[in-house]
Amino acid sequence: MLYTHTLQISYNNCRVLFIKPTGARWRMIRLSQISKSYELVEAVQRVDITVPPGCIYGIIGRSGAGKSTLLRIMSLLETPDSGEVYYAGERVDTLRGRALLERRRKMGMIFQNFNLLGSRTVAGNIAYPLEISGAPGKHIERRVAELVEMVGIADKLKARMRELSGGQKQRVAIARALAANPEVLFCDEATSSLDPQTTRSILALIRDLQQRLKITVVLITHQMEVVREICQEVAVMDAANIVETGSIAAVLDSPKTTAAREMFYVP
Ligand code: ADP
């Protein structure tokens, strides 16, 4: 493989040298002092997070901790009350109109309930974002064929959503999220409604795609087996704050906070 770009960043007080293969579009995501309230509820309070480029990053915490709010802000679905969001050094939380749409096109998202269109076939669901962006029909057809192959459902191209299992639906959702060739994939409790075996196969697929496509993955989950299986770095959220961050090995081996200990070790 050709290596043409290198990127040097400071992370956890270390100088880290990332070698970027040709064609990869790794982005470091940085949140600085992000806060968000809903009426009397402070959902996120002065949160700082750095997601290293090309990482599978987990945000964990109990229900109500503020994970979804943080993910919506990171994926530019919601604006913070204060604070800043940066992608590869570019401030993005202030983007509006066409610039915001362009930036959002570089992000894919999958959800616990799949959010698929029941009236469309597998092909129609995957084609949907490409149709919205005005891509020509021939390109859409080619891309959909590529994507179903990539996620392992090439035989289901014409199937309707009601004919698919949960795991197959999530594969459709992953293909749709990747249709516009994003740099980041956000996963919002993406395996929470799946059985353990299907969960493992979806996680293996996400890990494989992350490696092959060189995308950054940010996921929120309350499933600790998901974190153990797939995440390289984690942030632990508790009561609207990030209380602990680090490599999965460090946080698992010696959690520093009660919130982290409770997440990993209390059944
Ligand atoms: P988590 O994803 O960790 O369960 P959330 O980000 O969904 O946490 O919620 C954090 C807090 O913010 C909760 O108290 C929740 O009720 C509140 N909250 C989240 N979204 C809204 C909203 N749109 N309107 C009002 N309150 C909200």
Side-chain angles (χ1 to χ4, degrees):
M1 191 183 300
L2 281 172
Y3 294 99
T4 56
H5 300 85
T6 57
L7 171 67
Q8 209 172 29
I9 62 163
S10 285
Y11 182 65
N12 281 353
N13 297 325
C14 301
R15 298 292 289 175
V16 182
L17 181 70
F18 289 92
I19 300 171
K20 181 179 169 187
T22 305
R25 293 136 320 123
W26 287 339
R27 294 283 179 268
M28 182 162 72
I29 307 169
R30 187 165 71 82
L31 270 58
S32 170
Q33 293 290 292
I34 293 289
S35 294
K36 179 80 184 179
S37 295
Y38 299 103
E39 296 175 4
L40 295 179
V41 181
E42 281 196 303
V44 174
Q45 286 176 15
R46 291 180 296 283
V47 160
D48 292 317
I49 280 190
T50 300
V51 178
C55 177
I56 302 185
Y57 195 92
I59 301 171
I60 62 173
R62 65 181 82 157
S63 181
K67 306 180 296 298
S68 303
T69 305
L70 196 62
L71 199 76
R72 287 199 301 272
I73 290 170
M74 207 184 267
S75 56
L76 309 184
L77 289 172
E78 194 143 6
T79 46
D81 296 337
S82 58
E84 294 153 19
V85 181
Y86 294 90
Y87 277 66
E90 180 199 347
R91 186 160 179 194
V92 293
D93 60 286
T94 48
L95 296 177
R96 299 289 178 268
R98 178 173 283 277
L100 176 60
L101 277 179
E102 292 287 314
R103 174 54 66 178
R104 289 224 69 247
R105 250 184 225 134
K106 297 177 186 165
M107 305 172 186
M109 195 146 188
I110 56 171
F111 304 89
Q112 177 173 359
N113 60 0
F114 321 121
N115 281 9
L116 297 166
L117 299 166
S119 60
R120 286 187 163 221
T121 60
V122 166
N125 268 281
I126 299 171
Y128 188 65
L130 299 170
E131 289 169 13
I132 299 273
S133 69
K138 274 275 169 249
H139 167 80
I140 296 179
E141 216 175 289
R142 216 174 30 242
R143 184 77 183 128
V144 169
E146 226 170 71
L147 286 158
V148 284
E149 198 69 52
M150 203 186 278
V151 302
I153 49 168
D155 56 330
K156 299 286 177 197
L157 206 56
K158 296 205 168 73
R160 301 260 161 201
M161 295 309 104
R162 62 176 179 276
E163 296 160 355
L164 302 181
S165 68
Q168 288 166 338
K169 284 182 190 159
Q170 199 56 290
R171 283 170 191 264
V172 178
I174 291 170
R176 183 184 58 182
L178 297 177
N181 215 4
E183 297 166 350
V184 188
L185 178 66
F186 292 103
C187 310
D188 184 350
E189 297 281 1
T191 52
S192 297
S193 64
L194 304 176
D195 62 66
Q197 197 182 340
T198 310
T199 293
R200 276 195 297 277
S201 75
I202 293 294
L203 294 179
L205 175 65
I206 292 173
R207 195 172 31 224
D208 175 54
L209 293 170
Q210 189 262 347
Q211 288 289 313
R212 272 206 282 161
L213 307 176
K214 298 285 176 244
I215 51 176
T216 300
V217 175
V218 181
L219 61 89
I220 60 173
T221 184
H222 67 275
Q223 294 175 288
M224 288 312 104
E225 63 275 22
V226 169
V227 180
R228 283 197 183 92
E229 179 95 15
I230 195 174
C231 291
Q232 294 153 341
E233 298 275 332
V234 284
V236 183
M237 248 191 128
D238 188 38
N241 290 289
I242 298 289
V243 293
E244 191 163 342
T245 58
S247 71
I248 183 65
V251 177
L252 259 180
D253 284 354
S254 49
K256 294 181 184 59
T257 57
T258 311
R261 271 192 295 276
E262 280 178 0
M263 288 305 296
F264 284 109
Y265 297 109
V266 177

